Structure formats: structure tokens, C-alpha cells
């Protein structure tokens, strides 16, 4: 919840209005590095942030940037005020004077409208924090240049305040990033290709007109760096020391992941076989036709899913042997208890309890198929990924259909007359 206090964060004073400088100030009002862009970027990042501590940081600073927007807007408006009535001042920027009546609008100093394209929002907290550090650094430089082009003492004081707060925010974002305790070059979750990640290509070669030469430094020598001649000028077959590493990154502990995939498939196979025995009983216990038909439809899907798992084993060259799935055993046993208790309940209540048991099964299967699919994806078994993705989509769809039936039954449960008609 936002609350506007009728007091600027920094009291603005302009002794000598300068419409041309007012136009420059619009860069920080509606420009790419301006206060509105910062306020929107940090606030939306905060809305997306699952980390409560850093969410608070983003919302705090995003809100302060809105305060800065008001300061810059007030400062610009005071400098632009002569363009309301003075022809010569109006000529400094006809767009502001004629179209905007001498006031501010969400444009940059060139008259380009503000756009959400300015925002850098990825949903990855560490990546977004790096973007924010860079944004604050760019804004600091813009304020510094504005100060250098300004002769008005009051305006300089306001700009100095705003410039300093950019450094404050940069410091806060940098420490928040550091507190994540992630390695500096650890971006995302997929590891880079070993070897290739350490190759530095010498793609700018020769001596330039002004004496430029190839240089070496910590960015291309020492540590794990492999300084590699430009691929464009390598003659013949390059030796192993200079060849570009093109192999995809092999999965870590490939044998371990393969064993884990087979284990997951055997667990799912046993779970699905148990379900083919449980679903007919659930269909028989269902009171409403829509739920009964849904269980019968999913039984047919489950039989197809078993065939797909068997096909996965064939592709892996392994026997389709099931491993006892204790999780599904427990869920099936719980479902039997719910069906027995349902005999004493009203129709809608009994079926809602049955849907709850069925959805627990669906969520368990969704978790199993997701894990197996991800392992197959990492191991680059594309055919297996396709088979498991089909089954996963069916389980997710079944869960959604159960939700729809449950909503209908909850409405029916409130209307006894409707229940009697449904019977």
C-alpha cells in the first residue's frame, strides 16, 4: 500500500530557471537510466522475489526511487516554467512548451517516450541484483554530468543529494548480492562446457594505426585461461592446444544419473501397475457419473503410460522390472479407507473425499514423472523425454479435471434438491 506525503524527500530550490537545462533533467525523469525506470524495475523485481529479506530491500529502494522521481520532476518543472509564457524559452523545446504546456511528461531529453523496454527483469535474483548495481552506476554518471552542466546552486544541491543516493543503493545491492554467497561466475543452474569456458579467443590481432598491439592481462592469462589464436585465421587443422572446444558439457556423474533414472522408472512402473488395480474400485465407488467416467478415462491413460515406461526400458536396453513403490502403496491404502468411510457419507461429500485421495495420487505421479523426465533430459535421451512428457501432461490434465469436478460437487453440496435431481 502506497501513501503519498506532501513533502519532497529533498526540498528543491531553483534561483535561476533554465529551460534548456530543464530539458536535460528529463533524462532522469523519463529516460532509460531515470528514476521511473529504477522505481519500476526494483518494484517489479520485488513482486517476483521469493526471498523475503531481499524482497524487502527491493521494495524499499523501489519506493524511494518514486520519491526521487518527484524531486526530479519538481526540479525540471521549475526550470521549464518560463516556457509557459516566454517565446524564447519555449523555443528551447517546442514539444514541452506547445504539447505539454511547459510541464514535465514521461519523455527523455530527446523527446522519446518512456518505455518498459528500459527495465531489466529476469526473475533470477542474483542476475537482477547485478543489473541494479549497473543501473545505479549509470544513473550516478548521468547526475554527475548534469551537475557539471549546471550553474544554479540550489539545483546542484538537489542533484548532489540524488547522485549520493545512487551510491547508497549501489552499495546495498552489492552487499545483498554478496550475502547470497554465490560464486561470482555462477549464473543460473546449467554448468558451462568445461574447457570452452576457459578459452580466450585472440580475435583482435595485428598492430593498429595508432600502435595498438595484442595485450595480455588477468582477463586472458594466468589461472585456467587458455589463450587461443583467432579461429578465423587458424590455418589447417589446429592442434589440441588451440582447437575450439565444441563438445557439450557432459552430465556430472553420468553413470550415477543413469542408475537413478532407471530406479525412478522402475518405481513409477510399480506405481502405475498398482493404480490400474485401484482405479476400477474408485470408479465403482464414485456416486456421480462425471467422476466415474473420469476414473475410467484415466484407467485407459494409465495403461498407455505403462506401455510408454516399458518402451523407455527398451530404449535404455534394460529389463522392464518394477521396484516396489511404497509411496503409492500408502496412497492406495489410504484411498481404500476413504472409500470405506464414504459409504456412510452423503453423495457429494463422499465423492469430494474420493477426489482428494485421487489428487494425492496425481501429485505423487506428477513429481515422479517430472524427476524422471529431468534426468532423461540431462542425459540427453530425447526419445525418453518425449515419452515421459506425454505421461506427465496426462497426469497434470487429470489433476485439472478432478479440480473441475470438485468445484461442481461443492456447488451441488449446497443444494440438496439438486443432489436429488442428479441421482
Amino acid at each position: 500500500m502506497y501513501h503519498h506525503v506532501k513533502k519532497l524527500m529533498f526540498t528543491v530550490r531553483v534561483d535561476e530557471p533554465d529551460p534548456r537545462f530543464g530539458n536535460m533533467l528529463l533524462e532522469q525523469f523519463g529516460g532509460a537510466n531515470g528514476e521511473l525506470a529504477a522505481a519500476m524495475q526494483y518494484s517489479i523485481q520485488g513482486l517476483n522475489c521469493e526471498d523475503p529479506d531481499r524482497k524487502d530491500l527491493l521494495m524499499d529502494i523501489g519506493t524511494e526511487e518514486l520519491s526521487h522521481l518527484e524531486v526530479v520532476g519538481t526540479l525540471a518543472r521549475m526550470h521549464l516554467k518560463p516556457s509557459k509564457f516566454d517565446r524564447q524559452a519555449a523555443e528551447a523545446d517546442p514539444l514541452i512548451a506547445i504539447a505539454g504546456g511547459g510541464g514535465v511528461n514521461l519523455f527523455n531529453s530527446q523527446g522519446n517516450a518512456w518505455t518498459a523496454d528500459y527495465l531489466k527483469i529476469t526473475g533470477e535474483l542474483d542476475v537482477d541484483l547485478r543489473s541494479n548495481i549497473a543501473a545505479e552506476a549509470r544513473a550516478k554518471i548521468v547526475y554527475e554530468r548534469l551537475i557539471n552542466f549546471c550553474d544554479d546552486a540550489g539545483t546542484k544541491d538537489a542533484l548532489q543529494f540524488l547522485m549520493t543516493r545512487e551510491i547508497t543503493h549501489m552499495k546495498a545491492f552489492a552487499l545483498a548480492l554478496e550475502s547470497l554467497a554465490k560464486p561470482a561466475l555462477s549464473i543460473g543452474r546449467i554448468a558451462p562446457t568445461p574447457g570452452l569456458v576457459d578459452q580466450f579467443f585472440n580475435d583482435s590481432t595485428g598492430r593498429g594505426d595508432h600502435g595498438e598491439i595484442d595485450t595480455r592481462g588477468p582477463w586472458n592469462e594466468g589461472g585456467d585461461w587458455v589463450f587461443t589464436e583467432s579461429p578465423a585465421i587458424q590455418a589447417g587443422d589446429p592442434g589440441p592446444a588451440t582447437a575450439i572446444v565444441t563438445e557439450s558439457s557432459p552430465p556430472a556423474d553420468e553413470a550415477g544419473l543413469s542408475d537413478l533414472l532407471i530406479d525412478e522408472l522402475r518405481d513409477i512402473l510399480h506405481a502405475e501397475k498398482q493404480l490400474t488395480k485401484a482405479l476400477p474400485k474408485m470408479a465403482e465407488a464414485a456416486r456421480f457419473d462425471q467422476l466415474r467416467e473420469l476414473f475410467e478415462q484415466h484407467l485407459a491413460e494409465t495403461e498407455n503410460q505403462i506401455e510408454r515406461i516399458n518402451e523407455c526400458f527398451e530404449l535404455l536396453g534394460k529389463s522392464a522390472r518394477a521396484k516396489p513403490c511404497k509411496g503409492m502403496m500408502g496412497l492406495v491404502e489410504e484411498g481404500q479407507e476413504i472409500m470405506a468411510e464414504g459409504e456412510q457419507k452423503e453423495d457429494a461429500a463422499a465423492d469430494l473425499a474420493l477426489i482428494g485421495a485421487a489428487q494425492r495420487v496425481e501429485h505423487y505421479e506428477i513429481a515422479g514423472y517430472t524427476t524422471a523426465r529431468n534426468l532423461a533430459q540431462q542425459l540427453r535421451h530425447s526419445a525418453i523425454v518425449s515419452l515421459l512428457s506425454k505421461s506427465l501432461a496426462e497426469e497434470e490434465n487429470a489433476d485439472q479435471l478432478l479440480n473441475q469436478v470438485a468445484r461442481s460437487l461443492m456447488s451441488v453440496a449446497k443444494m440438496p434438491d439438486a443432489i436429488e435431481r442428479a441421482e
Side-chain angles (χ1 to χ4, degrees):
M1 179 166 62
Y2 289 90
H3 181 87
H4 179 257
V5 177
K6 298 178 181 67
K7 182 177 176 62
L8 292 176
M9 192 173 188
F10 184 93
T11 302
V12 173
R13 187 186 87 253
V14 173
D15 299 321
E16 296 183 17
D18 181 349
R20 290 184 180 277
F21 187 74
N23 176 272
M24 293 182 188
L25 284 169
L26 292 179
E27 196 62 41
Q28 281 302 90
F29 191 74
N33 303 304
E35 301 296 351
L36 180 62
M40 293 297 97
Q41 179 165 308
Y42 308 156
S43 297
I44 295 172
Q45 287 174 359
L47 289 174
N48 291 329
C49 187
E50 302 291 343
D51 181 325
D53 294 342
R54 289 156 193 86
K55 180 187 184 79
D56 184 56
L57 163 71
L58 290 163
M59 299 307 289
D60 280 345
I61 297 182
T63 303
E64 183 179 339
E65 299 291 6
L66 287 174
S67 299
H68 292 182
L69 181 71
E70 188 176 15
V71 172
V72 174
T74 302
L75 196 62
R77 180 180 59 79
M78 294 170 72
H79 275 284
L80 293 169
K81 189 174 181 179
S83 63
K84 288 177 176 288
F85 50 82
D86 182 82
R87 164 68 182 269
Q88 186 175 358
E91 289 176 352
D93 195 320
L95 174 66
I96 293 172
I98 306 303
V104 298
N105 209 327
L106 288 177
F107 295 94
N108 66 9
S109 58
Q110 301 301 306
N112 299 314
W114 187 90
T115 170
D117 290 341
Y118 293 152
L119 309 187
K120 303 294 182 290
I121 301 167
T122 68
E124 290 289 335
L125 182 56
D126 59 321
V127 176
D128 283 344
L129 287 172
R130 288 185 173 92
S131 293
N132 297 350
I133 293 167
E136 296 292 335
R138 288 191 296 269
K140 194 273 182 186
I141 291 300
V142 173
Y143 277 125
E144 186 173 305
R145 289 169 180 168
L146 286 169
I147 290 172
N148 289 337
F149 287 125
C150 180
D151 296 322
D152 183 75
T155 301
K156 279 192 170 185
D157 289 342
L159 294 175
Q160 178 70 29
F161 168 81
L162 293 166
M163 183 189 73
T164 300
R165 293 305 297 170
E166 305 299 335
I167 298 300
T168 304
H169 296 167
M170 188 165 63
K171 177 181 175 182
F173 287 136
L175 292 172
L177 177 62
E178 182 181 325
S179 71
L180 293 175
K182 288 189 66 175
L185 299 179
S186 175
I187 307 297
R189 294 165 181 78
I190 299 176
T193 303
L196 179 62
V197 71
D198 295 321
Q199 284 189 297
F200 185 93
F201 296 144
N202 186 27
D203 284 334
S204 175
T205 60
R207 183 179 293 274
D209 293 337
H210 300 285
E212 304 96 335
I213 59 173
D214 291 350
T215 60
R216 306 296 297 274
W219 54 87
N220 64 13
E221 70 177 351
D224 298 324
W225 284 121
V226 177
F227 192 74
T228 305
E229 288 303 322
S230 170
I233 61 174
Q234 286 183 17
D237 295 327
T242 59
I244 301 174
V245 179
T246 57
E247 295 83 0
S248 298
S249 175
D253 187 18
E254 185 167 340
L257 293 184
S258 296
D259 291 344
L260 184 57
L261 174 59
I262 293 165
D263 202 49
E264 287 288 338
L265 290 173
R266 285 177 173 158
D267 187 86
I268 295 171
L269 180 59
H270 189 258
E272 295 290 24
K273 286 183 174 180
Q274 289 185 78
L275 198 53
T276 58
K277 298 175 183 177
L279 279 169
K281 297 176 183 178
M282 297 173 78
E284 185 178 351
R287 312 283 179 86
F288 290 89
D289 291 341
Q290 189 179 7
L291 182 57
R292 185 182 305 111
E293 291 168 3
L294 180 54
F295 285 144
E296 291 170 351
Q297 173 188 327
H298 195 51
L299 174 61
E301 288 178 339
T302 302
E303 290 168 346
N304 289 333
Q305 289 166 3
I306 290 173
E307 291 303 315
R308 290 191 197 115
I309 295 170
N310 290 335
E311 190 175 345
C312 289
F313 280 115
E314 289 180 16
L315 290 167
L316 291 169
K318 300 290 182 179
S319 61
R321 176 168 50 84
K323 165 192 169 185
C325 179
K326 296 179 181 178
M328 185 61 79
M329 289 178 186
L331 290 170
V332 168
E333 182 179 348
E334 184 179 38
Q336 291 172 341
E337 292 175 0
I338 287 171
M339 285 186 281
E341 294 169 357
E343 294 176 1
Q344 310 301 320
K345 294 179 180 178
E346 297 291 335
D347 288 352
D351 275 4
L352 283 168
L354 195 56
I355 289 172
Q359 286 194 289
R360 291 186 188 94
V361 169
E362 292 306 323
H363 291 186
Y364 184 80
E365 290 190 299
I366 288 169
Y369 276 114
T370 299
T371 299
R373 183 198 60 183
N374 291 345
L375 287 168
Q377 205 163 32
Q378 180 64 19
L379 291 164
R380 302 186 215 28
H381 293 310
S382 57
I384 294 175
V385 170
S386 178
L387 290 167
L388 295 175
S389 294
K390 289 178 184 177
S391 296
L392 176 59
E394 289 173 352
E395 302 295 2
E396 291 172 338
N397 184 59
D399 181 52
Q400 290 299 315
L401 291 174
L402 286 166
N403 268 336
Q404 292 175 17
V405 176
R407 283 194 292 269
S408 298
L409 288 177
M410 287 176 186
S411 298
V412 168
K414 297 177 182 178
M415 300 181 292
D417 292 342
I419 293 177
E420 292 176 6
R421 288 195 298 274
E423 292 173 341

